[in-house]
Amino acid sequence: MATKNQRIHTVEPFIWELSAPGRVGASIPEADVPEYPLPGEIPLRTDLPLPEVSELEVVRHFTRLSRLNFSIDTHMYPLGSCTMKYNPKVNDAAASLPGFSEVHPLLPEDLCQGSLELLYRLQRALETLSGFTAVSLQPAAGAHGELAGVLMIRAYHLDRGDTKRTRILIPDSAHGTNPASVSMAGFTAEQIPSDKRGNVDLSILRQRCDDTVAGLMITNPNTLGLFEENIEEVTGIVHEAGGLVYGDGANFNALLGYLRPADVGIDVMHFNLHKTFSTPHGGGGPGAGPVGANARLAPYLPGPIVRSIGSETIRSNGRKRTEGAFQGHGSRYTLFYPEKSIGRVKAFYGNFGILVRAFAYILQMGGDGLRAVAEHAVLNANYLKHLIGNRYRIPYSRPCMHEFVATGDIAPGIHTMDVAKRLLDYGFHPPTVYFPLIVKEALMIEPTETESRQTIEAFADALLRIAEEAATSPELLHEAPHDTPVGRLDEVRAAREPILNRRQTEKLEGTR
Ligand SMILES: *Cc1c(COP(=O)(O)O)cnc(C)c1O
């Protein structure tokens, strides 16, 4: 590890090491107004160790750093459950239009009708795709949408005076954010095991459902990449017990145009716009996790939501009428809070720039295009599964949806982490590893629809070659990656003793 760190240290100097006293990267014109000394009470710090560098050094430094990264624009990124599809540049072009990028969040409604119309039409598009009655664009991420949805379920039960319901059931294949959201909302998370086919175990679900169950959170397709075959029975059992069903919509990419979650009994669900709808994500954001609900839960949605009001109707009789048709002209857009709204979960209107990108994507694809997205995502995953299926164990072998789970224990002494790290040498971002938790040595692969057949075959080829190496020269895997700027890191130590700033690196240097 020490040698690898020395390597980055010499090849990639920290910006502080480029610093020379008096060097500047900015030229500020002479002041054309009189100078005034700052009032004495403003604390001016002079002890900040800021680097003194020229503009060119800054440009080179950050451009070089950016090229050390893996990104969807440079490499295939088959990170399971994350839907790392290509982010079309037209999305960014749309979000950069001055009418969108320069609009101030405090503008009165009359001066931002165009932006409100976009939000309204995005809400309508998500309603159409999901079958829900209403959508709120407020939440900033999938996990944030989960929290909003679980708070809505809580508000619904409390509203009816039903205070006994404190438990929320979650299948054991669920994403970690599900139990976290449940606890944050004040409920107890309870795990439901999966059966041999990877579905929710119906008999156990039945046993656990009673009048203390507030609801169930379910991901479909689940994180094994499998369609929940008994979804209608699952939602039926929960409803019969008086509970509600939260859909984790992170895997909606597989269903676009084929299944509307509301039709199979999901009451409330989030959409990950940064997954399914091609807006950029990674490194913690930015994202957007709008939440949609059926008629029962729509009154509890977070606000504000955009609605359209027929302007003609207002003018003639002063009465407001909610416009049912999906149309822009002749309407006025205004913000409102649903009747029993849980309130705000985000400042202003959600992550507006991301919402513009998602809407641009939806318009670009159109209904047929979105359906084709689901088809190709599922086709690509099944093709890849077929290509590697002889060398990698696939614990649940029925046809998959947009992703599948293999295992990385391909030879004695070889672990999933070894396969993942070796893939970096072949120019591929590794799949998701050690998740879902119910598969030992899990390698969760989601190719997405945007990869070509050639790329998928090249990726399969790399996995097959790694399986070969695992048998013949396992040290190649144990010591991987070999060709990256940083070698195999001590991940345990990184988690326990994170080094987050320049001063702390001295601590690291001291231990070399
Ligand atoms: C990504 C993901 C989430 C969380 O979404 P974020 O936008 O990352 O907060 C939840 N569930 C599943 C299944 C996911 O894949």
Side-chain angles (χ1 to χ4, degrees):
M1 188 192 166
T3 51
K4 296 292 183 190
N5 271 312
Q6 257 148 8
R7 218 170 98 205
I8 17 171
H9 203 66
T10 49
V11 174
E12 291 303 323
F14 286 103
I15 191 107
W16 288 268
E17 289 156 357
L18 301 172
S19 179
R23 230 175 243 172
V24 285
S27 47
I28 298 169
E30 290 274 309
D32 56 0
V33 291
E35 282 185 23
Y36 286 99
L38 288 171
E41 66 270 20
I42 292 182
L44 258 187
R45 289 188 60 183
T46 52
D47 60 337
L48 283 178
L50 294 176
E52 297 179 63
V53 282
S54 70
E55 181 175 328
L56 175 59
E57 282 164 330
V58 172
V59 167
R60 284 204 181 133
H61 179 70
F62 287 106
T63 305
R64 214 162 43 219
L65 283 183
S66 76
R67 287 167 54 171
L68 297 178
N69 269 343
F70 262 78
S71 75
I72 191 63
D73 285 352
T74 56
H75 299 87
M76 181 179 174
Y77 210 127
L79 196 63
S81 206
C82 294
T83 313
M84 303 301 284
K85 63 170 75 178
Y86 174 61
N87 313 139
K89 299 306 164 226
V90 69
N91 297 357
D92 298 319
S96 309
L97 292 171
F100 293 131
S101 64
E102 289 172 21
V103 67
H104 193 282
L106 289 174
L107 272 184
E109 285 176 8
D110 281 343
L111 297 183
C112 57
Q113 282 292 303
S115 297
L116 292 179
E117 178 178 347
L118 180 139
L119 296 178
Y120 175 78
R121 291 175 66 178
L122 176 58
Q123 288 169 196
R124 294 302 308 265
L126 295 176
E127 285 161 21
T128 305
L129 287 165
S130 62
F132 289 127
T133 307
V135 166
S136 166
L137 303 174
Q138 278 260 310
H144 199 194
E146 289 173 27
L147 177 63
V150 177
L151 288 175
M152 289 164 62
I153 290 177
R154 183 170 179 270
Y156 171 85
H157 291 308
L158 291 181
D159 206 27
R160 294 154 45 96
D162 195 350
T163 53
K164 259 196 303 190
R165 299 184 182 272
T166 55
R167 299 157 57 223
I168 290 197
L169 309 177
I170 303 177
D172 57 4
S173 57
H175 196 266
T177 49
N178 291 187
S181 302
V182 161
S183 314
M184 277 182 80
F187 289 107
T188 310
E190 205 173 293
Q191 191 167 298
I192 300 288
S194 306
D195 67 15
K196 284 201 192 72
R197 284 181 67 73
N199 293 315
V200 168
D201 189 315
L202 288 179
S203 62
I204 295 179
L205 177 66
R206 264 192 211 99
Q207 284 163 24
R208 301 277 186 85
C209 274
D210 58 24
D211 63 359
T212 65
V213 164
L216 168 89
M217 284 184 103
I218 190 161
T219 314
N220 191 18
N222 64 23
T223 64
L224 295 163
L226 300 174
F227 189 80
E228 178 61 53
E229 292 167 306
N230 311 311
I231 183 67
E232 286 174 296
E233 270 164 283
V234 168
T235 57
I237 292 169
V238 176
H239 286 151
E240 224 161 275
L244 295 172
V245 181
Y246 184 91
D248 176 335
N251 293 342
F252 196 39
N253 208 43
L255 305 179
L256 287 174
Y258 276 90
L259 183 135
R260 302 190 312 168
D263 294 342
V264 293
I266 305 290
D267 297 295
V268 49
M269 184 187 96
H270 75 260
F271 306 81
N272 298 65
L273 298 191
H274 44 289
K275 294 178 181 174
T276 314
F277 298 97
S278 86
T279 71
H281 77 298
V291 58
N294 60 13
R296 184 144 58 152
L297 282 182
Y300 299 89
L301 280 167
I305 292 177
V306 185
R307 72 175 159 202
S308 94
I309 297 167
S311 50
E312 299 299 82
T313 318
I314 287 183
R315 241 181 280 131
S316 53
N317 59 16
R319 208 155 39 86
K320 287 185 183 179
R321 180 168 64 88
T322 306
E323 192 66 57
F326 177 48
Q327 52 158 250
H329 296 290
S331 293
R332 187 176 176 279
Y333 299 92
T334 183
L335 295 164
F336 81 108
Y337 283 85
E339 196 191 333
K340 298 172 172 180
S341 175
I342 59 163
R344 264 191 184 283
V345 296
K346 174 97 172 71
F348 302 113
Y349 314 105
N351 243 339
F352 182 68
I354 294 299
L355 301 175
V356 176
R357 285 173 174 83
F359 188 63
Y361 176 74
I362 289 171
L363 284 191
Q364 188 196 1
M365 301 308 289
D368 291 343
L370 290 173
R371 209 175 143 90
V373 162
E375 286 165 3
H376 289 126
V378 172
L379 182 63
N380 279 358
N382 278 285
Y383 181 47
L384 181 55
K385 177 159 94 78
H386 164 78
L387 291 176
I388 68 163
N390 282 340
R391 296 304 300 268
Y392 287 78
R393 197 170 69 84
I394 315 276
Y396 297 86
S397 63
R398 65 178 157 107
C400 65
M401 297 293 284
H402 63 304
E403 64 190 351
F404 63 95
V405 176
T407 70
D409 46 358
I410 43 179
I414 297 290
H415 295 284
T416 290
M417 192 56 80
D418 301 319
V419 176
K421 295 294 183 191
R422 185 66 178 141
L423 269 171
L424 289 165
D425 290 333
Y426 283 96
F428 294 100
H429 192 284
T432 294
V433 294
Y434 300 106
F435 179 81
L437 304 176
I438 54 173
V439 174
K440 248 183 102 219
E441 298 290 335
L443 199 58
M444 182 199 206
I445 308 176
E446 179 179 10
T448 84
E449 74 282 0
T450 56
E451 296 304 330
S452 67
R453 178 174 174 175
Q454 286 85 343
T455 306
I456 293 201
E457 287 170 353
F459 178 67
D461 203 44
L463 279 172
L464 296 176
R465 283 212 268 168
I466 291 170
E468 207 55 52
E469 292 169 354
T472 56
S473 34
E475 68 291 346
L476 264 180
L477 274 71
H478 291 311
E479 287 160 21
H482 303 268
D483 300 336
T484 48
V486 183
R488 182 85 67 114
L489 296 174
D490 183 345
E491 295 187 10
V492 175
R493 189 171 162 213
R496 300 244 162 100
E497 299 170 44
I499 291 174
L500 302 174
N501 65 42
R502 169 66 175 156
R503 270 178 222 145
Q504 283 176 301
T505 61
E506 281 148 26
K507 199 166 82 184
L508 180 74
E509 278 157 23
T511 63
R512 272 190 196 146

